[in-house]
């Protein structure tokens, strides 16, 4: 356990992030957790478990004790790299990394904190020093001049500015950004203001950037400091815009001045800047912004001019009977009462009440001309949505997962300004307004509702581009008025299990690009004019039960823009497959998985010159495979139990880099050689032995290759092989490479728990080739000056899919001189993680369902 300590802005987080990137390849698993002080313990525990177990479905943790037990029981045998950034309470360590024994041998826990006392049990501590002068000049210049040195004539001013920062990295960054593009006279004036302020907590320097903002930008900065750090940027912009602030330009200016950052759509701010902002509020604008509970309780009833109120849960035990008339933004998640006095707040713009107990917003018509946003997610007591004719300017309405909602007022269908409507997961909602005339609507989400029919669409609805109606089991057909949605781009009808008919009018939607009709087993035919959807690029017709027949293959053979066609489990006979597929000239991916009627690969697919990905998995009657498109890159034909006759794939398919024949036992044959020169190759086939041409073979999943002098100039690539005792995993976790100077063998403990050879009859072999060019894309020169051994691990991380034997072979250039040089034009690559020296590169193997 290592602690990094120091004042805010000294660079603790930056050091931890850099160290994490540099050494994470040495560990089995890793997790970086930023801003621990501001996060819920259970949420952090859940994130760490997801990161380290590489799972998406970790159960919710509601008790920190339970989360701690899970961490120490699941990680005690793993070599873990864990970073806990900005810890400020010993309880955080108690529940996240209390003892060394929680983690496996060789693990490293890195903790950053301002409080040295919290590091009393660590094995080492590091306190970053302030920057040296030359380092400070470089950092400041990067932000002031966008280069590593000062512009001519500014050297003296830069030295003065650096002295004002106290050599603190954060202050250097902020002040440098403030001076960027300003004349020397402005520098002189600003630096004169900083003299004599004693750098009180460096706030004087940081505040200079704040003072240079326009008034609206100052308000946005202070609002973020007090309320919105860590929130999604779109939500923050919506709330602040509703209060009359112009966040579009304001947010960008704050980013330019290094006062905030936006990463992955989330607004962040250094805690030192947040402290400065809150101090400015307390000293200069007292009671203008209240973020502490006791302050709010003492002041809220006196604030008649309050513009924003965001509270949570049982903030008060008394049902509110009145709220400030000037309120513009009201957010009260988990509202504990049955009603709220919102009906008379005519200035209200934004209303959010997620997971509340409210039964109704208001009764009858209420005049709310400024109301634009309503977010009532998971308000399970609401049974009806009220008359909104007095609120004609609503732009965004979210009623997601309001499970008791059974009716909406007819006025909803006439909201002319509505852009986004989400009624998904309202299982009791059976009817919408008979006609919707929402001329501004762009997105309609009615997935998983109890709707029995679609509403009729008005001719005015030309802006609607996305319709999501997954799992609407009551819907049997679409209305013919869908023709009016002339700009519809995506139509998702997945799992509408009773959908029987698509109207001919859908063929008039010339901008439709994606149509999802998977798992609609009663939909057996497409409209006659379906081929006129000239811009359709993606069509999903797969089903989840294998009995679904399909007789409309000819309906889409003229879809010239179609790139992806998914017919998984659709039963199409050989004779029903069109002889001419020239109309599908743009097709790149074709999925015929689970077709029990198909006995041979359709001859007509050979004309699909752009087809790169073909899936024929589990076509159990398929016995021959010939005539593939010449540009094919990925061929998936696993589980084809009758397959016994395939053409020689090595001769004319120069771009073929992934071949998957697992569990095709009529193709059994343990000997075979695959080679490639410039492209990666991945092949899977049934078998239980490493091919004999692999000179190096070893039990387990680790193996060592000897590197000869000047190997770097001779090597073409690496061939690798792994035997899986039963099935192959759904995705490969990683392939690790590590240089070793001294002789190295597979450690004894690595092979004690796995059998020396497989005796299973249904084993599978994976074979891969990795070209040396992949190393050259990311190596440092000193990585390749070594001689000795290259230690290789073919690893998945779950015992169920353990490699029981592996092989490796260096492929030298002279070995492949007789092979025609391959120059693939294909962009499709298989994904694998290559760990080499201090670098990690990841390509695209995880995208395959193997």
């Amino acid at each position: 356990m290592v602690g990094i300590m120091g004042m805010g802005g000294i660079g603790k987080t930056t050091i931890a992030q850099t160290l994490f990137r540099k050494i994470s390849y040495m560990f089995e698993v890793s997790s970086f957790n930023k801003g621990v002080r501001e996060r819920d313990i259970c949420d952090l525990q859940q994130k760490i478990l997801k990161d380290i177990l590489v799972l998406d479905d970790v159960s919710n943790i509601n008790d920190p004790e339970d989360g701690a037990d899970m961490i120490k029981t699941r990680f005690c045998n793993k070599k873990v790299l864990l970073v806990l950034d900005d810890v400020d309470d010993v309880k955080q360590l108690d529940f996240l990394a209390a003892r060394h024994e929680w983690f496996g041998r060789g693990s490293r826990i890195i903790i950053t904190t301002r409080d040295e006392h919290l590091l009393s049990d660590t094995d080492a501590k590091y306190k970053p020093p302030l920057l040296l002068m030359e380092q400070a000049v470089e950092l400041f210049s990067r932000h002031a001049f966008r280069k590593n040195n000062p512009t001519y004539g500014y050297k003296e001013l830069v030295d003065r500015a650096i002295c004002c920062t106290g050599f603190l990295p954060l202050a250097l960054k902020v002040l440098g950004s403030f001076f960027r593009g300003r004349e020397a006279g402005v520098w002189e004036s600003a630096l004169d203001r900083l003299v004599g302020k004693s750098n009180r907590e460096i706030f004087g320097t940081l505040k200079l950037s704040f003072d240079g903002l326009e008034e609206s930008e100052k308000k946005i900065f202070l609002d973020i400091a007090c309320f919105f750090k860590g929130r999604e940027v779109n939500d923050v912009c919506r709330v602040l815009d509703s209060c009359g602030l112009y966040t579009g330009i304001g947010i960008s200016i704050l980013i330019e001045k290094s006062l905030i950052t936006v990463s992955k759509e989330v607004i962040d701010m250094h805690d030192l800047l947040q402290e400065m902002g809150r101090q400015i509020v307390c000293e200069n604008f007292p009671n203008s912004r209240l973020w502490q509970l006791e302050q709010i309780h003492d002041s809220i009833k006196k604030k008649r001019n309050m513009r924003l109120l965001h509270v949570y849960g049982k903030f008060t035990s008394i049902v509110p009977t009145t709220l400030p008339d000037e309120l513009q933004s009201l957010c009260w998640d988990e509202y504990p009462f049955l009603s709220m006095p919102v009906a008379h707040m005519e200035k209200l713009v934004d209303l959010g009440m997620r997971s509340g107990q409210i039964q109704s917003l208001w009764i009858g018509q209420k005049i709310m001309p400024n109301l634009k946003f309503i977010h009532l997610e998971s308000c399970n007591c609401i049974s009806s949505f009220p008359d909104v004719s007095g609120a004609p300017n609503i732009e965004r309405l979210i009623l997601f997962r309001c499970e008791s909602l059974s009716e909406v007022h007819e006025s909803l269908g006439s909201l002319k300004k509505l852009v986004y409507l989400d009624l998904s997961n309202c299982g009791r909602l059976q009817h919408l307004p008979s006609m919707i005339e929402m001329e501004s609507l762009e997105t309609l989400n009615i997935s998983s509702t109890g709707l029995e029919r679609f509403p009729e669409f008005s001719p005015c609805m030309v802006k609607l581009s996305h319709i999501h109606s997954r799992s609407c089991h009551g819907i049997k057909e679409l209305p013919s008025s869908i023709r009016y949605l002339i700009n519809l781009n995506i139509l998702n009808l997945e799992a509408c299990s009773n959908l029987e008919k698509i109207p001919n009018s859908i063929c008039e939607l010339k901008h439709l690009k994606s149509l999802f009709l998977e798992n609609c087993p009663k939909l057996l035919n497409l409209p006659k004019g379906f081929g006129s959807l000239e811009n359709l690029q993606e069509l999903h017709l797969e089903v989840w039960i294998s009995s679904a027949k399909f007789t409309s293959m000819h309906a889409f053979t003229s879809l010239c823009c179609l790139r992806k066609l998914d017919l998984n489990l659709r039963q199409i006979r050989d004779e029903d497959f069109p002889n001419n597929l020239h109309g599908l000239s743009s097709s790149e991916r074709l999925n015929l998985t689970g077709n029990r009627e198909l006995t041979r690969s359709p001859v007509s697919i050979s004309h699909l010159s752009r087809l790169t990905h073909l899936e024929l998995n589990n076509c159990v009657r398929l016995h021959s495979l010939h005539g593939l498109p010449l540009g094919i890159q990925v061929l998936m034909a696993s589980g084809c139990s009758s397959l016994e006759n395939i053409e020689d794939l090595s001769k004319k398919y120069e771009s073929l880099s992934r071949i998957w024949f697992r569990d095709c036992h009529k193709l059994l044959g343990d000997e075979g050689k695959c080679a490639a020169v410039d492209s990666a190759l991945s092949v899977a086939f049934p078998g239980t032995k490493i091919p004999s041409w692999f000179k190096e073979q070893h039990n387990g999943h680790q193996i060592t290759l000897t590197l000869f002098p000047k190997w770097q100039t001779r090597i073409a690539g690496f061939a690798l092989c792994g035997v899986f005792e039963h099935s192959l995993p759904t995705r490969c976790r990683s392939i690790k490479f590590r240089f070793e100077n001294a002789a190295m063998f597979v450690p004894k403990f690595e092979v004690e728990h796995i059998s020396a050879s497989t005796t299973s009859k249904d084993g599978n072999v994976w074979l891969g080739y990795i070209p040396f060019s992949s190393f050259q894309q990311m190596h440092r020169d000193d990585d390749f000056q070594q001689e000795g051994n290259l230690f290789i691990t073919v690893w998945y991380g779950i015992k169920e899919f353990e490699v029981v034997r592996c092989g490796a072979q260096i492929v030298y250039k002279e070995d492949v001189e007789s092979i025609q040089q391959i120059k693939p034009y294909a962009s499709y690559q298989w994904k694998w993680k290559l760990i080499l020296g201090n670098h990690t590169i990841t390509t695209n193997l995880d995208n395959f369902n193997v």
Side-chain angles (χ1 to χ4, degrees):
M1 293 188 175
V2 178
I4 303 175
M5 58 189 180
M7 67 179 293
I10 194 69
K12 302 183 296 297
T13 300
T14 302
I15 292 170
Q17 288 173 327
T18 303
L19 185 61
F20 183 83
R21 288 194 295 267
K22 187 174 182 180
I23 69 172
S24 60
Y25 80 96
M26 300 178 180
F27 297 83
E28 187 177 346
V29 285
S30 58
S31 177
F32 192 102
N33 300 273
K34 190 175 180 180
V36 169
R37 75 158 71 194
E38 299 170 347
R39 301 176 65 178
D40 177 75
I41 289 289
C42 292
D43 289 345
L44 279 167
Q45 290 172 330
Q46 191 162 316
K47 177 186 179 296
I48 291 169
L49 286 162
K50 284 184 178 180
D51 288 350
I52 293 182
L53 297 178
V54 198
L55 297 174
D56 294 326
D57 57 349
V58 175
S59 301
N60 288 337
I61 299 172
N62 299 313
D63 186 338
E65 294 285 356
D66 294 339
D69 287 339
M70 293 175 69
I71 289 175
K72 62 186 177 185
T73 55
R74 299 198 183 192
F75 301 162
C76 60
N77 292 317
K78 291 184 179 291
K79 185 179 179 182
V80 175
L81 174 62
L82 174 64
V83 177
L84 301 175
D85 172 60
D86 198 16
V87 173
D88 72 340
D89 191 326
V90 69
K91 290 182 179 179
Q92 295 158 353
L93 297 178
D94 289 342
F95 290 121
L96 298 174
R99 299 175 63 83
H100 292 63
E101 295 77 21
W102 286 20
F103 306 95
R105 189 177 182 86
S107 293
R108 294 291 184 270
I109 315 301
I110 299 172
I111 303 161
T112 76
T113 182
R114 296 188 189 185
D115 188 351
E116 183 177 358
H117 176 72
L118 297 177
L119 304 178
S120 57
D121 293 330
T122 56
D123 301 293
K125 302 175 188 176
Y126 174 68
K127 185 174 183 178
L130 293 171
L131 298 181
L132 299 174
M133 187 62 183
E134 58 269 25
Q135 296 170 325
V137 169
E138 181 177 346
L139 178 59
F140 183 90
S141 298
R142 286 181 188 174
H143 292 277
F145 307 110
R146 297 189 184 278
K147 56 183 182 178
N148 291 341
N149 297 295
T151 295
Y152 178 77
Y154 281 80
K155 181 64 170 67
E156 183 180 345
L157 291 171
V158 167
D159 291 345
R160 286 184 60 194
I162 289 174
C163 290
C164 292
T165 66
F167 292 80
L168 188 71
L170 175 66
L172 287 163
K173 179 179 176 181
V174 172
L175 193 60
S177 298
F178 169 76
F179 281 129
R180 185 189 307 143
R182 297 185 185 272
E183 299 291 334
V186 177
W187 285 56
E188 293 278 4
S189 176
L191 292 174
D192 288 342
R193 288 168 54 190
L194 291 176
V195 174
K197 292 197 175 182
S198 302
N199 293 322
R200 181 169 60 96
E201 295 295 325
I202 313 297
F203 282 177
T205 301
L206 300 178
K207 190 173 180 294
L208 187 63
S209 289
F210 172 82
D211 292 337
L213 299 173
E214 299 292 336
E215 285 304 310
S216 62
E217 295 156 9
K218 289 180 179 179
K219 290 179 180 179
I220 294 171
F221 174 81
L222 296 178
D223 285 343
I224 292 173
C226 295
F227 304 125
F228 298 120
K229 178 183 176 182
R231 293 276 297 273
E232 290 191 9
V233 64
N234 288 337
D235 288 344
V236 174
C237 290
R238 174 174 52 80
V239 171
L240 295 184
D241 284 343
S242 72
C243 295
L245 298 174
Y246 300 98
T247 55
I249 184 65
I251 292 288
S252 63
I253 289 174
L254 295 181
I255 293 172
E256 290 173 3
K257 293 185 177 297
S258 300
L259 293 173
I260 65 171
T261 60
V262 175
S263 176
K264 296 181 179 179
E265 301 302 314
V266 172
I267 291 182
D268 200 5
M269 171 186 286
H270 194 280
D271 49 12
L272 200 62
L273 290 168
Q274 184 181 36
E275 290 175 25
M276 179 193 75
R278 291 184 170 184
Q279 181 175 311
I280 290 171
V281 169
C282 293
E283 293 179 355
N284 301 328
F285 310 101
N287 294 323
S288 66
R289 295 166 182 83
L290 307 176
W291 60 89
Q292 294 178 330
L293 191 61
E294 59 274 12
Q295 291 178 317
I296 299 173
H297 275 302
D298 292 341
S299 306
I300 188 169
K301 293 185 179 182
K302 304 173 184 177
K303 298 292 181 184
R304 307 315 304 168
N305 61 343
M306 183 180 294
R307 61 187 173 95
L308 182 149
L309 175 61
H310 286 197
V311 291
Y312 180 86
K314 202 168 184 178
F315 163 73
T316 175
S317 59
I318 303 172
V319 181
T321 57
T322 182
L323 288 169
D325 295 338
E326 299 294 315
L327 206 59
Q328 295 169 291
S329 179
L330 171 61
C331 181
W332 196 328
D333 291 348
E334 297 196 8
Y335 182 73
F337 308 113
L338 302 182
S339 62
M340 174 177 275
V342 299
H344 301 289
M345 297 192 305
E346 294 188 1
K347 293 188 177 181
L348 190 65
V349 177
D350 184 16
L351 173 63
M353 299 179 68
R354 301 167 182 85
S355 303
Q357 299 300 310
I358 191 168
Q359 289 185 337
S360 63
L361 289 181
W362 58 77
I363 305 298
Q365 185 192 59
K366 301 298 178 183
I367 305 301
M368 304 186 74
N370 293 299
L371 188 60
K372 291 184 178 181
F373 310 106
I374 300 178
H375 194 151
L376 300 179
E377 176 183 330
S378 298
C379 289
N380 293 329
C381 295
I382 286 185
S383 59
S384 63
F385 187 73
D387 183 350
V388 288
S389 57
N393 294 309
I394 295 176
E395 297 177 5
R396 188 176 181 90
L397 173 58
I398 298 175
L399 294 165
F400 168 67
R401 200 179 286 158
C402 291
E403 296 176 355
S404 297
L405 184 68
S406 59
E407 63 176 341
V408 296
H409 194 272
E410 193 74 15
S411 60
L412 174 64
S414 301
L415 289 175
K416 304 295 186 183
K417 300 290 185 67
L418 191 65
V419 175
Y420 183 93
L421 175 59
D422 187 350
L423 294 162
S424 60
N425 291 84
C426 297
R428 296 187 182 181
L429 182 62
Q430 296 183 335
H431 303 285
L432 287 178
S434 55
M435 170 73 74
I436 55 175
E437 303 175 274
M438 305 170 180
E439 59 189 42
S440 299
L441 191 67
E442 297 176 4
T443 300
L444 172 63
N445 191 343
I446 53 174
S447 296
S448 299
T449 59
L451 290 179
E452 297 178 349
R453 60 177 177 80
F454 260 88
E456 293 291 334
F457 298 105
S458 164
C460 73
M461 296 189 62
V462 296
K463 292 187 178 180
L464 186 57
S465 61
H466 293 68
I467 294 180
H468 301 281
S469 53
R470 298 175 64 251
S471 302
C472 291
H473 302 295
I475 292 177
K476 295 183 179 181
E477 61 180 335
L478 301 183
S480 60
S481 59
I482 198 170
R483 62 164 46 95
Y484 298 128
L485 310 181
I486 58 175
N487 284 300
L488 191 64
N489 188 273
I490 295 175
L491 176 57
N492 190 339
L493 296 162
E494 177 187 344
C496 291
S497 56
N498 287 300
L499 183 68
E500 298 176 351
K501 183 181 178 182
I502 302 290
N504 289 330
S505 59
I506 197 174
C507 303
E508 300 177 33
L509 303 181
K510 302 304 183 184
H511 288 90
L512 189 64
K513 292 183 178 179
S514 300
L515 179 57
F516 297 85
L517 294 168
E518 62 262 50
N519 203 35
C520 298
K522 294 187 177 181
L523 182 67
L524 303 180
N525 296 286
L526 295 174
K528 292 182 179 179
F530 195 78
S532 63
L533 290 172
E534 58 192 39
N535 287 303
L536 191 66
Q537 298 178 8
E538 190 172 6
L539 176 59
H540 294 261
L541 284 160
E542 63 265 38
V543 289
W544 302 340
I545 56 174
S546 59
S547 61
K549 303 293 182 181
F550 193 70
T551 59
S552 293
M553 271 293 294
H554 293 272
F556 46 77
T557 55
S558 58
L559 297 174
C560 60
C561 289
L562 193 68
R563 292 185 299 160
K564 181 176 182 179
L565 176 59
D566 197 327
L567 295 166
N568 181 40
L569 286 177
R570 290 285 183 179
Q571 305 306 309
I572 308 170
R573 298 176 301 176
D574 294 328
E575 56 268 30
D576 292 331
F577 212 93
N579 293 324
N580 187 344
L581 290 178
H582 286 88
L584 292 173
S585 57
S586 297
S587 292
E588 299 171 0
R589 299 172 68 101
L590 175 61
N591 186 357
L592 297 172
T593 290
N595 188 337
R596 297 176 180 270
E597 301 289 329
L598 205 63
T599 64
R600 63 182 184 273
S601 54
V603 176
S604 52
I605 67 173
S606 63
H607 304 299
L608 301 179
S609 59
R610 296 188 181 181
L611 194 72
T612 60
H613 190 122
L614 176 63
E615 291 191 40
L616 294 161
N617 298 319
N618 300 315
C619 294
V620 294
R621 295 182 61 196
L622 184 73
H623 61 76
S624 65
L625 188 58
H626 293 270
L628 301 176
L630 294 178
I632 194 76
Q633 299 173 32
V634 178
L635 175 60
M636 314 292 284
S638 295
C640 297
S641 54
S642 300
L643 185 61
E644 56 185 351
N645 186 4
I646 62 173
E647 65 178 310
D648 187 345
L649 300 175
S650 65
K651 291 186 176 180
K652 58 181 179 180
Y653 301 109
E654 296 183 346
S655 299
L656 190 57
S657 62
R658 191 129 200 271
I659 310 166
W660 224 251
F661 289 128
R662 69 173 189 179
D663 299 322
C664 299
H665 296 293
K666 288 192 176 182
L667 289 178
L668 268 174
D670 290 334
E671 296 298 321
K673 188 164 183 176
C674 297
V677 177
D678 294 327
S679 62
L681 175 70
S682 180
V683 180
F685 51 89
T688 59
K689 296 179 181 179
I690 304 290
S692 60
W693 56 270
F694 277 93
K695 295 179 182 178
E696 298 293 335
Q697 301 188 25
H698 206 289
N699 295 333
H701 60 275
Q702 295 179 320
I703 197 165
T704 303
L705 291 175
T706 300
L707 301 175
F708 297 100
K710 297 184 179 180
W711 65 274
Q712 307 91 335
T713 61
R714 298 172 54 197
I715 189 172
F718 296 102
L720 305 173
C721 190
V723 175
F724 292 79
E725 191 164 12
H726 296 291
S727 187
L728 283 161
T730 55
R731 62 179 62 177
C732 186
R733 175 69 177 147
S734 66
I735 300 169
K736 297 183 178 180
F737 292 79
R738 186 172 76 246
F739 287 109
E740 296 290 340
N741 289 323
M744 185 171 187
F745 302 95
V746 178
K748 186 172 184 292
F749 69 84
E750 291 288 355
V751 298
E752 284 181 338
H753 65 284
I754 51 181
S755 57
S757 63
T758 180
T759 58
S760 173
K761 295 182 180 180
D762 60 352
N764 284 279
V765 177
W766 170 79
L767 187 148
Y769 174 78
I770 300 171
F772 188 62
S773 58
S774 296
F775 289 72
Q776 294 174 315
Q777 292 174 8
M778 43 70 71
H779 83 282
R780 296 182 310 184
D781 290 341
D782 56 355
D783 285 330
F784 293 95
Q785 302 307 313
Q786 305 184 52
E787 297 177 10
N789 295 287
L790 185 63
F791 188 58
I792 303 172
T793 302
V794 181
W795 182 72
Y796 183 68
I798 297 179
K799 186 171 177 58
E800 177 186 358
F801 296 120
E802 198 75 77
V803 175
V804 296
R805 187 169 177 82
C806 63
Q809 179 76 22
I810 297 176
V811 180
Y812 289 99
K813 292 178 180 178
E814 56 263 32
D815 295 332
V816 293
E817 286 180 352
S818 61
I819 301 177
Q820 181 180 1
Q821 295 295 308
I822 301 171
K823 297 181 179 180
Y825 57 83
S827 61
Y828 203 96
Q829 294 179 314
W830 55 289
K831 183 168 187 174
W832 44 281
K833 182 190 287 185
L834 167 64
I835 299 175
L836 177 64
N838 291 331
H839 303 275
T840 300
I841 187 170
T842 304
T843 59
N844 292 323
L845 179 57
D846 285 349
N847 295 333
F848 291 93
N849 298 314
V850 297

